[in-house]
mmCIF file of all heavy atoms in Angstrom:
data_model
loop_
_atom_site.group_PDB
_atom_site.id
_atom_site.type_symbol
_atom_site.label_atom_id
_atom_site.label_comp_id
_atom_site.label_asym_id
_atom_site.label_seq_id
_atom_site.Cartn_x
_atom_site.Cartn_y
_atom_site.Cartn_z
ATOM 1 N N ALA A 1 3.094 3.691 3.008
ATOM 2 C CA ALA A 1 3.359 2.831 4.133
ATOM 3 C C ALA A 1 4.100 3.628 5.298
ATOM 4 O O ALA A 1 3.848 3.274 6.451
ATOM 5 C CB ALA A 1 4.187 1.673 3.579
ATOM 6 N N SER A 2 4.941 4.497 4.816
ATOM 7 C CA SER A 2 5.670 5.267 5.853
ATOM 8 C C SER A 2 4.740 6.128 6.617
ATOM 9 O O SER A 2 4.937 6.192 7.912
ATOM 10 C CB SER A 2 6.739 6.231 5.137
ATOM 11 O OG SER A 2 7.469 6.890 6.087
ATOM 12 N N ALA A 3 3.879 6.816 6.114
ATOM 13 C CA ALA A 3 2.885 7.673 6.758
ATOM 14 C C ALA A 3 2.051 6.782 7.767
ATOM 15 O O ALA A 3 1.811 7.212 8.885
ATOM 16 C CB ALA A 3 1.996 8.400 5.763
ATOM 17 N N LEU A 4 1.593 5.646 7.378
ATOM 18 C CA LEU A 4 0.818 4.777 8.253
ATOM 19 C C LEU A 4 1.530 4.242 9.289
ATOM 20 O O LEU A 4 1.111 4.208 10.455
ATOM 21 C CB LEU A 4 0.053 3.621 7.344
ATOM 22 C CG LEU A 4 -0.808 2.661 8.131
ATOM 23 C CD1 LEU A 4 -1.793 3.415 8.871
ATOM 24 C CD2 LEU A 4 -1.371 1.581 7.315
ATOM 25 N N SER A 5 2.771 3.752 9.070
ATOM 26 C CA SER A 5 3.610 3.249 10.107
ATOM 27 C C SER A 5 3.949 4.304 11.164
ATOM 28 O O SER A 5 3.831 3.990 12.337
ATOM 29 C CB SER A 5 4.854 2.518 9.586
ATOM 30 O OG SER A 5 5.774 3.398 9.031
ATOM 31 N N GLU A 6 4.095 5.499 10.734
ATOM 32 C CA GLU A 6 4.393 6.535 11.773
ATOM 33 C C GLU A 6 3.145 6.807 12.567
ATOM 34 O O GLU A 6 3.263 7.069 13.753
ATOM 35 C CB GLU A 6 4.932 7.792 11.073
ATOM 36 C CG GLU A 6 6.380 7.657 10.557
ATOM 37 C CD GLU A 6 7.376 7.173 11.711
ATOM 38 O OE1 GLU A 6 7.381 7.789 12.806
ATOM 39 O OE2 GLU A 6 8.069 6.196 11.471
ATOM 40 N N ALA A 7 2.019 6.723 11.873
ATOM 41 C CA ALA A 7 0.834 7.166 12.551
ATOM 42 C C ALA A 7 0.421 6.000 13.642
ATOM 43 O O ALA A 7 -0.163 6.310 14.595
ATOM 44 C CB ALA A 7 -0.386 7.199 11.566
ATOM 45 N N LEU A 8 0.882 4.693 13.363
ATOM 46 C CA LEU A 8 0.560 3.591 14.196
ATOM 47 C C LEU A 8 1.651 3.334 15.124
ATOM 48 O O LEU A 8 1.556 2.459 16.052
ATOM 49 C CB LEU A 8 0.362 2.324 13.403
ATOM 50 C CG LEU A 8 -0.877 2.379 12.529
ATOM 51 C CD1 LEU A 8 -0.927 1.173 11.681
ATOM 52 C CD2 LEU A 8 -2.163 2.331 13.364
ATOM 53 N N ARG A 9 2.810 4.063 15.074
ATOM 54 C CA ARG A 9 3.909 3.826 15.885
ATOM 55 C C ARG A 9 3.574 3.731 17.418
ATOM 56 O O ARG A 9 4.120 2.799 18.237
ATOM 57 C CB ARG A 9 4.892 4.896 15.742
ATOM 58 C CG ARG A 9 6.374 4.533 16.435
ATOM 59 C CD ARG A 9 7.382 5.482 16.076
ATOM 60 N NE ARG A 9 7.901 5.401 14.657
ATOM 61 C CZ ARG A 9 8.717 4.442 14.349
ATOM 62 N NH1 ARG A 9 9.191 3.507 15.135
ATOM 63 N NH2 ARG A 9 9.030 4.342 13.066
ATOM 64 N N GLY A 10 2.737 4.621 17.933
ATOM 65 C CA GLY A 10 2.302 4.474 19.299
ATOM 66 C C GLY A 10 0.971 3.989 19.635
ATOM 67 O O GLY A 10 0.402 4.138 20.605
ATOM 68 N N GLY A 11 0.381 3.256 18.625
ATOM 69 C CA GLY A 11 -0.937 2.771 18.640
ATOM 70 C C GLY A 11 -1.994 3.501 17.731
ATOM 71 O O GLY A 11 -1.469 4.243 16.922
ATOM 72 N N PHE A 12 -3.083 3.372 17.991
ATOM 73 C CA PHE A 12 -4.246 3.884 16.991
ATOM 74 C C PHE A 12 -4.171 5.437 17.198
ATOM 75 O O PHE A 12 -3.968 6.075 18.163
ATOM 76 C CB PHE A 12 -5.592 3.481 17.467
ATOM 77 C CG PHE A 12 -6.609 4.060 16.502
ATOM 78 C CD1 PHE A 12 -6.796 3.491 15.270
ATOM 79 C CD2 PHE A 12 -7.316 5.078 16.966
ATOM 80 C CE1 PHE A 12 -7.801 4.051 14.369
ATOM 81 C CE2 PHE A 12 -8.301 5.701 16.083
ATOM 82 C CZ PHE A 12 -8.588 5.156 14.826
ATOM 83 N N THR A 13 -4.274 6.142 15.943
ATOM 84 C CA THR A 13 -4.448 7.554 15.793
ATOM 85 C C THR A 13 -5.693 7.667 14.923
ATOM 86 O O THR A 13 -5.904 6.991 14.059
ATOM 87 C CB THR A 13 -3.235 8.120 15.208
ATOM 88 O OG1 THR A 13 -2.850 7.622 14.026
ATOM 89 C CG2 THR A 13 -1.970 8.009 16.183
ATOM 90 N N PRO A 14 -6.287 8.931 15.027
ATOM 91 C CA PRO A 14 -7.497 9.174 14.215
ATOM 92 C C PRO A 14 -7.222 9.210 12.738
ATOM 93 O O PRO A 14 -8.045 8.887 12.001
ATOM 94 C CB PRO A 14 -7.898 10.507 14.715
ATOM 95 C CG PRO A 14 -7.413 10.581 16.112
ATOM 96 C CD PRO A 14 -6.130 9.930 16.118
ATOM 97 N N GLU A 15 -5.961 9.493 12.335
ATOM 98 C CA GLU A 15 -5.718 9.550 10.968
ATOM 99 C C GLU A 15 -5.386 8.090 10.253
ATOM 100 O O GLU A 15 -5.301 7.983 9.129
ATOM 101 C CB GLU A 15 -4.583 10.549 10.707
ATOM 102 C CG GLU A 15 -3.276 10.197 11.262
ATOM 103 C CD GLU A 15 -2.994 10.759 12.623
ATOM 104 O OE1 GLU A 15 -3.921 11.256 13.185
ATOM 105 O OE2 GLU A 15 -1.831 10.666 13.027
ATOM 106 N N ALA A 16 -5.235 7.228 11.211
ATOM 107 C CA ALA A 16 -4.748 5.871 10.565
ATOM 108 C C ALA A 16 -5.700 5.187 9.582
ATOM 109 O O ALA A 16 -5.216 4.697 8.587
ATOM 110 C CB ALA A 16 -4.527 4.923 11.902
ATOM 111 N N PRO A 17 -7.028 5.385 9.769
ATOM 112 C CA PRO A 17 -7.897 4.672 8.720
ATOM 113 C C PRO A 17 -7.795 5.370 7.325
ATOM 114 O O PRO A 17 -7.682 4.634 6.432
ATOM 115 C CB PRO A 17 -9.377 4.913 9.365
ATOM 116 C CG PRO A 17 -9.076 4.959 10.842
ATOM 117 C CD PRO A 17 -7.811 5.735 10.995
ATOM 118 N N ALA A 18 -7.630 6.696 7.325
ATOM 119 C CA ALA A 18 -7.499 7.288 6.014
ATOM 120 C C ALA A 18 -6.122 7.024 5.478
ATOM 121 O O ALA A 18 -5.985 6.777 4.295
ATOM 122 C CB ALA A 18 -7.636 8.809 6.280
ATOM 123 N N LEU A 19 -5.106 6.891 6.301
ATOM 124 C CA LEU A 19 -3.799 6.628 5.832
ATOM 125 C C LEU A 19 -3.735 5.071 5.284
ATOM 126 O O LEU A 19 -3.118 4.755 4.293
ATOM 127 C CB LEU A 19 -2.732 6.689 6.922
ATOM 128 C CG LEU A 19 -2.472 8.247 7.171
ATOM 129 C CD1 LEU A 19 -1.583 8.328 8.422
ATOM 130 C CD2 LEU A 19 -1.899 9.002 6.032
ATOM 131 N N ALA A 20 -4.529 4.155 5.983
ATOM 132 C CA ALA A 20 -4.604 2.835 5.538
ATOM 133 C C ALA A 20 -5.285 2.753 4.147
ATOM 134 O O ALA A 20 -4.882 2.019 3.395
ATOM 135 C CB ALA A 20 -5.387 1.973 6.558
ATOM 136 N N ALA A 21 -6.276 3.577 3.940
ATOM 137 C CA ALA A 21 -7.043 3.588 2.664
ATOM 138 C C ALA A 21 -6.112 4.016 1.625
ATOM 139 O O ALA A 21 -6.084 3.537 0.480
ATOM 140 C CB ALA A 21 -8.252 4.442 2.826
ATOM 141 N N ARG A 22 -5.255 5.078 1.922
ATOM 142 C CA ARG A 22 -4.261 5.470 0.828
ATOM 143 C C ARG A 22 -3.223 4.338 0.580
ATOM 144 O O ARG A 22 -2.855 4.089 -0.594
ATOM 145 C CB ARG A 22 -3.551 6.649 1.366
ATOM 146 C CG ARG A 22 -2.476 7.302 0.390
ATOM 147 C CD ARG A 22 -1.939 8.485 0.932
ATOM 148 N NE ARG A 22 -0.528 8.619 0.521
ATOM 149 C CZ ARG A 22 0.397 9.212 1.204
ATOM 150 N NH1 ARG A 22 0.239 9.784 2.332
ATOM 151 N NH2 ARG A 22 1.602 9.195 0.716
ATOM 152 N N LEU A 23 -2.748 3.618 1.562
ATOM 153 C CA LEU A 23 -1.897 2.535 1.365
ATOM 154 C C LEU A 23 -2.566 1.521 0.585
ATOM 155 O O LEU A 23 -1.984 0.842 -0.384
ATOM 156 C CB LEU A 23 -1.489 1.971 2.683
ATOM 157 C CG LEU A 23 -0.419 0.893 2.559
ATOM 158 C CD1 LEU A 23 0.660 0.940 3.736
ATOM 159 C CD2 LEU A 23 -0.947 -0.532 2.545
ATOM 160 N N ASP A 24 -3.856 1.139 0.842
ATOM 161 C CA ASP A 24 -4.545 0.208 0.095
ATOM 162 C C ASP A 24 -4.616 0.541 -1.410
ATOM 163 O O ASP A 24 -4.347 -0.370 -2.260
ATOM 164 C CB ASP A 24 -6.117 0.030 0.506
ATOM 165 C CG ASP A 24 -6.194 -0.534 1.882
ATOM 166 O OD1 ASP A 24 -5.386 -1.282 2.418
ATOM 167 O OD2 ASP A 24 -7.337 -0.325 2.567
ATOM 168 N N ALA A 25 -4.900 1.809 -1.738
ATOM 169 C CA ALA A 25 -4.901 2.126 -3.097
ATOM 170 C C ALA A 25 -3.519 2.090 -3.775
ATOM 171 O O ALA A 25 -3.400 1.529 -4.922
ATOM 172 C CB ALA A 25 -5.383 3.651 -3.241
ATOM 173 N N ASP A 26 -2.427 2.474 -3.076
ATOM 174 C CA ASP A 26 -1.094 2.423 -3.591
ATOM 175 C C ASP A 26 -0.681 0.947 -3.715
ATOM 176 O O ASP A 26 0.071 0.541 -4.693
ATOM 177 C CB ASP A 26 -0.122 3.143 -2.713
ATOM 178 C CG ASP A 26 -0.361 4.652 -2.918
ATOM 179 O OD1 ASP A 26 -0.819 5.132 -3.893
ATOM 180 O OD2 ASP A 26 0.062 5.390 -1.944
ATOM 181 N N TYR A 27 -1.063 0.128 -2.812
ATOM 182 C CA TYR A 27 -0.759 -1.292 -2.927
ATOM 183 C C TYR A 27 -1.415 -1.977 -4.111
ATOM 184 O O TYR A 27 -0.813 -2.623 -4.936
ATOM 185 C CB TYR A 27 -1.165 -2.100 -1.642
ATOM 186 C CG TYR A 27 -0.759 -3.477 -1.608
ATOM 187 C CD1 TYR A 27 0.438 -3.974 -1.302
ATOM 188 C CD2 TYR A 27 -1.739 -4.474 -2.115
ATOM 189 C CE1 TYR A 27 0.879 -5.333 -1.366
ATOM 190 C CE2 TYR A 27 -1.494 -5.812 -2.024
ATOM 191 C CZ TYR A 27 -0.177 -6.266 -1.811
ATOM 192 O OH TYR A 27 0.146 -7.557 -1.816
ATOM 193 N N ALA A 28 -2.692 -1.656 -4.370
ATOM 194 C CA ALA A 28 -3.473 -2.120 -5.438
ATOM 195 C C ALA A 28 -2.804 -1.759 -6.757
ATOM 196 O O ALA A 28 -2.703 -2.579 -7.690
ATOM 197 C CB ALA A 28 -4.931 -1.711 -5.400
ATOM 198 N N LYS A 29 -2.389 -0.375 -6.820
ATOM 199 C CA LYS A 29 -1.688 0.030 -8.128
ATOM 200 C C LYS A 29 -0.439 -0.637 -8.251
ATOM 201 O O LYS A 29 -0.145 -0.960 -9.468
ATOM 202 C CB LYS A 29 -1.612 1.513 -7.993
ATOM 203 C CG LYS A 29 -1.072 2.289 -9.189
ATOM 204 C CD LYS A 29 -1.151 3.696 -9.082
ATOM 205 C CE LYS A 29 -0.232 4.282 -8.106
ATOM 206 N NZ LYS A 29 -0.065 5.821 -8.129
ATOM 207 N N THR A 30 0.319 -0.806 -7.246
ATOM 208 C CA THR A 30 1.625 -1.572 -7.368
ATOM 209 C C THR A 30 1.418 -2.936 -7.786
ATOM 210 O O THR A 30 2.159 -3.411 -8.710
ATOM 211 C CB THR A 30 2.393 -1.478 -6.007
ATOM 212 O OG1 THR A 30 2.589 -0.124 -5.664
ATOM 213 C CG2 THR A 30 3.740 -2.230 -6.161
ATOM 214 N N VAL A 31 0.615 -3.695 -7.247
ATOM 215 C CA VAL A 31 0.334 -5.146 -7.521
ATOM 216 C C VAL A 31 -0.224 -5.223 -8.980
ATOM 217 O O VAL A 31 0.173 -6.140 -9.713
ATOM 218 C CB VAL A 31 -0.575 -5.816 -6.529
ATOM 219 C CG1 VAL A 31 -1.068 -7.143 -7.016
ATOM 220 C CG2 VAL A 31 0.264 -5.945 -5.191
ATOM 221 N N ALA A 32 -1.163 -4.304 -9.404
ATOM 222 C CA ALA A 32 -1.662 -4.431 -10.737
ATOM 223 C C ALA A 32 -0.605 -4.165 -11.741
ATOM 224 O O ALA A 32 -0.526 -4.783 -12.860
ATOM 225 C CB ALA A 32 -2.773 -3.371 -10.821
ATOM 226 N N ALA A 33 0.334 -3.229 -11.512
ATOM 227 C CA ALA A 33 1.411 -2.965 -12.389
ATOM 228 C C ALA A 33 2.373 -4.166 -12.471
ATOM 229 O O ALA A 33 2.714 -4.606 -13.601
ATOM 230 C CB ALA A 33 2.215 -1.724 -12.032
ATOM 231 N N ILE A 34 2.651 -4.693 -11.446
ATOM 232 C CA ILE A 34 3.545 -5.901 -11.471
ATOM 233 C C ILE A 34 2.885 -7.187 -12.176
ATOM 234 O O ILE A 34 3.573 -7.809 -12.979
ATOM 235 C CB ILE A 34 4.001 -6.438 -9.981
ATOM 236 C CG1 ILE A 34 4.869 -5.278 -9.331
ATOM 237 C CG2 ILE A 34 4.883 -7.691 -10.070
ATOM 238 C CD1 ILE A 34 5.084 -5.474 -7.957
ATOM 239 N N ARG A 35 1.646 -7.291 -11.897
ATOM 240 C CA ARG A 35 0.951 -8.379 -12.579
ATOM 241 C C ARG A 35 0.889 -8.169 -14.020
ATOM 242 O O ARG A 35 0.979 -9.041 -14.923
ATOM 243 C CB ARG A 35 -0.512 -8.631 -11.976
ATOM 244 C CG ARG A 35 -0.356 -9.291 -10.628
ATOM 245 C CD ARG A 35 -1.689 -9.715 -10.094
ATOM 246 N NE ARG A 35 -1.459 -10.500 -8.733
ATOM 247 C CZ ARG A 35 -2.187 -10.197 -7.776
ATOM 248 N NH1 ARG A 35 -3.297 -9.457 -7.736
ATOM 249 N NH2 ARG A 35 -1.951 -10.986 -6.639
ATOM 250 N N ALA A 36 0.545 -6.940 -14.472
ATOM 251 C CA ALA A 36 0.529 -6.638 -15.944
ATOM 252 C C ALA A 36 1.908 -6.935 -16.606
ATOM 253 O O ALA A 36 1.937 -7.433 -17.662
ATOM 254 C CB ALA A 36 0.115 -5.152 -16.101
ATOM 255 N N TYR A 37 2.924 -6.480 -15.861
ATOM 256 C CA TYR A 37 4.319 -6.853 -16.384
ATOM 257 C C TYR A 37 4.437 -8.404 -16.421
ATOM 258 O O TYR A 37 4.905 -8.964 -17.554
ATOM 259 C CB TYR A 37 5.379 -6.222 -15.422
ATOM 260 C CG TYR A 37 6.794 -6.652 -15.764
ATOM 261 C CD1 TYR A 37 7.398 -6.131 -16.899
ATOM 262 C CD2 TYR A 37 7.368 -7.693 -15.049
ATOM 263 C CE1 TYR A 37 8.658 -6.696 -17.274
ATOM 264 C CE2 TYR A 37 8.683 -8.214 -15.397
ATOM 265 C CZ TYR A 37 9.217 -7.643 -16.430
ATOM 266 O OH TYR A 37 10.548 -8.191 -16.800
ATOM 267 N N GLN A 38 4.160 -9.029 -15.448
ATOM 268 C CA GLN A 38 4.233 -10.489 -15.344
ATOM 269 C C GLN A 38 3.508 -11.190 -16.449
ATOM 270 O O GLN A 38 3.975 -12.103 -17.103
ATOM 271 C CB GLN A 38 3.705 -10.972 -13.895
ATOM 272 C CG GLN A 38 3.945 -12.567 -13.685
ATOM 273 C CD GLN A 38 3.364 -12.785 -12.316
ATOM 274 O OE1 GLN A 38 2.330 -12.251 -11.896
ATOM 275 N NE2 GLN A 38 4.116 -13.628 -11.607
ATOM 276 N N GLU A 39 2.333 -10.830 -16.752
ATOM 277 C CA GLU A 39 1.447 -11.316 -17.847
ATOM 278 C C GLU A 39 2.130 -11.089 -19.151
ATOM 279 O O GLU A 39 2.124 -11.864 -20.023
ATOM 280 C CB GLU A 39 0.072 -10.829 -17.718
ATOM 281 C CG GLU A 39 -0.779 -11.376 -16.615
ATOM 282 C CD GLU A 39 -2.063 -10.637 -16.361
ATOM 283 O OE1 GLU A 39 -2.451 -9.896 -17.372
ATOM 284 O OE2 GLU A 39 -2.634 -10.929 -15.360
ATOM 285 N N GLY A 40 2.744 -9.803 -19.359
ATOM 286 C CA GLY A 40 3.269 -9.416 -20.557
ATOM 287 C C GLY A 40 4.458 -10.158 -20.917
ATOM 288 O O GLY A 40 4.804 -10.352 -22.047
ATOM 289 N N CYS A 41 5.291 -10.601 -19.854
ATOM 290 C CA CYS A 41 6.493 -11.318 -20.100
ATOM 291 C C CYS A 41 6.427 -12.878 -19.961
ATOM 292 O O CYS A 41 7.375 -13.524 -20.033
ATOM 293 C CB CYS A 41 7.692 -10.804 -19.319
ATOM 294 S SG CYS A 41 7.523 -11.011 -17.609
ATOM 295 N N GLY A 42 5.157 -13.346 -19.671
ATOM 296 C CA GLY A 42 4.934 -14.762 -19.646
ATOM 297 C C GLY A 42 5.561 -15.524 -18.374
ATOM 298 O O GLY A 42 5.835 -16.644 -18.421
ATOM 299 N N LYS A 43 5.662 -14.852 -17.322
ATOM 300 C CA LYS A 43 6.163 -15.430 -16.064
ATOM 301 C C LYS A 43 5.111 -15.733 -15.094
ATOM 302 O O LYS A 43 4.139 -15.219 -14.985
ATOM 303 C CB LYS A 43 7.148 -14.469 -15.471
ATOM 304 C CG LYS A 43 8.348 -14.228 -16.337
ATOM 305 C CD LYS A 43 9.518 -13.610 -15.626
ATOM 306 C CE LYS A 43 10.591 -13.266 -16.632
ATOM 307 N NZ LYS A 43 11.838 -13.756 -16.365
#
């Protein structure tokens, strides 16, 4: 998220789409881990 926000600070940059894809993967991994935890503890 830090890398993408810096790339977008002044508007679009050519590296933004690749950085957004990296954020997408990290977000999916984070959410999957939290949901697995949530399911395991019954919340």
